Amino acid sequence: MVEIKIVAFDDAHRGLIRTVREQVFIQEQQIDPEIEFDDLDSEAVHVLVMDGEQPLGTGRILADGHIGRIAIMKAARGQGLGVKVVQALVEYAQQQGYTRVDLGAQTHAVDFYRKLGFMSYGDEFMEANIPHQAMEQMLA
């Protein structure tokens, strides 16, 4: 059974989160591990998608409302798990009283985030040699 959990980047969850991000960002997208894992992980709140003992996806939100590091394992894509990760992070932000969340979407994913209520702003930019678009969602 697939479970979506809000977790910390602690001893119990660090390895699971790293497994997903290493596979998706470092192996598939060839992002430098020095860029992928930063000091913000320990301060962020993370979402972890689990199927039993198997991690399927993750994402994080920083204290300033910035959402990032959304990743779903290749074998688990197409099941709506990315939507659930983003929704869980937005719900967390609402519960914490945030008025706005933002993210840097890889340009191929702009439509995905748009369908979830995010709006583009600013110019396209490069991050980790991948084109991105800034997007935001105002919260009630």
Side-chain angles (χ1 to χ4, degrees), residues 43-109:
E43 301 168 17
V45 171
H46 298 258
V47 167
L48 187 58
V49 181
M50 297 291 297
D51 185 2
E53 300 295 312
Q54 186 68 36
L56 300 180
T58 191
R60 75 180 187 186
I61 186 168
L62 304 177
D64 65 0
H66 185 75
I67 291 174
R69 305 304 201 271
I70 308 295
I72 303 297
M73 298 290 260
K74 186 178 259 184
R77 292 180 194 152
Q79 301 175 38
L81 298 178
V83 169
K84 290 180 180 179
V85 168
V86 174
Q87 287 174 336
L89 291 166
V90 170
E91 286 173 19
Y92 171 83
Q94 289 173 316
Q95 291 167 357
Q96 300 304 306
Y98 293 27
T99 58
R100 174 186 177 271
V101 290
D102 72 297
L103 52 83
Q106 292 183 9
T107 54
H108 69 84

Side-chain angles (χ1 to χ4, degrees), residues 4 10 19 28-29 32 34 38-39 52 54 60 65 69 84 87 97 103 106 112 119 121 140:
I4 315 285
D10 57 14
T19 294
E28 287 181 38
Q29 297 185 356
D32 183 338
E34 297 293 319
D38 58 27
D39 294 338
Q54 186 68 36
R60 75 180 187 186
R69 305 304 201 271
K84 290 180 180 179
Q87 287 174 336
L103 52 83
Q106 292 183 9
F112 167 80
M119 301 294 293
Y121 69 93

